[in-house]
Amino acid sequence: MTRLLTILLIMAGLAAPAAAQETAPEASPEAGAATDGAAAAEQDDDDDDDDDGGEAADAAGGVHEAGAKFDYGFSGIMARDNRTDLAPLTLASGKPVATAEYKLKSGGFYRLDINADGSQELALSGGDFFRAIWINEVVINDIEIRPMGVHSLEFDDAGTATISFIAIVPGRYTLSIPGSQGETQQAVFNIQ
């Protein structure tokens, strides 16, 4: 009987602080609802205006901005919900590799498709970019490869390679077709 009573008292003691924490935020808005609510509304309005203007400017300037969720649940950073799919890269004779510059966040989990149409034997090279990210896997024809490092990917025929990675080192990096000179023959990644 004593053990049962002790267990019940411990459970009640552990539940009390949790209940106090849940009711504390409800009590604080009553005290200063007018001033805190107005300040919060102004902050929310300001943030929304800045975000909308920034998104419009980025879209007009040709930037793919990856909005990572960063809600690390039970599975951690590499949960499917945390992954952001980037606009695909295209390897084709005479066509641009990327439609715009990519803006990534350090610590974000991303997936990038590289599509080749087979019109020419082409590669993408970018040792600096591949050293600035941690590659989870490269998937080619449903074959998953988990490399220690990558310097380039070469396509002899038509196909798709999917790279999933975590951006690590902030900076400006490029993936480009070796031997090409034009700006359209590269993809630029800004990791912030």
Side-chain angles (χ1 to χ4, degrees):
M1 185 68 167
T2 306
R3 288 182 187 169
L4 179 61
L5 212 55
T6 305
I7 291 172
L8 289 174
L9 286 174
I10 290 173
M11 288 175 55
L14 292 175
Q21 289 175 356
E22 291 175 5
T23 58
E26 294 173 5
S28 63
E30 293 171 4
T35 57
D36 292 341
E42 287 177 15
Q43 265 187 339
D44 289 343
D45 290 342
D46 291 343
D47 289 344
D48 290 343
D49 292 342
D50 292 341
D51 289 343
D52 292 342
E55 289 173 6
D58 288 345
V63 175
H64 294 297
E65 185 166 354
K69 298 169 188 85
F70 299 115
D71 185 20
Y72 307 130
F74 182 72
S75 297
I77 192 171
M78 293 174 49
R80 184 171 296 187
D81 292 341
N82 292 329
R83 183 180 63 212
T84 302
D85 291 330
L86 301 174
L89 299 179
T90 304
L91 288 177
S93 181
K95 293 188 179 178
V97 173
T99 56
E101 192 171 297
Y102 293 87
K103 190 186 287 186
L104 310 177
K105 295 188 182 192
S106 181
F109 183 37
Y110 302 100
R111 182 169 63 181
L112 175 67
D113 288 339
I114 304 171
N115 302 318
D117 68 353
S119 60
Q120 189 176 357
E121 185 176 322
L122 293 170
L124 273 179
S125 179
D128 290 342
F129 172 71
F130 288 120
R131 283 189 292 276
I133 64 173
W134 176 79
I135 298 175
N136 177 42
E137 67 183 5
V138 178
V139 180
I140 304 167
N141 293 334
D142 294 328
I143 299 171
E144 298 175 1
I145 304 162
R146 292 190 168 77
M148 291 292 291
V150 174
H151 187 273
S152 65
L153 295 172
E154 184 174 339
F155 291 80
D156 294 337
D157 291 322
T160 299
T162 303
I163 300 174
S164 62
F165 63 93
I166 297 175
I168 303 292
V169 182
R172 182 179 169 93
Y173 306 99
T174 60
L175 282 177
S176 61
I177 297 174
S180 65
Q181 301 290 330
E183 289 183 17
T184 62
Q185 301 302 298
Q186 66 183 2
V188 178
F189 295 88
N190 278 321
I191 300 175
Q192 299 175 343

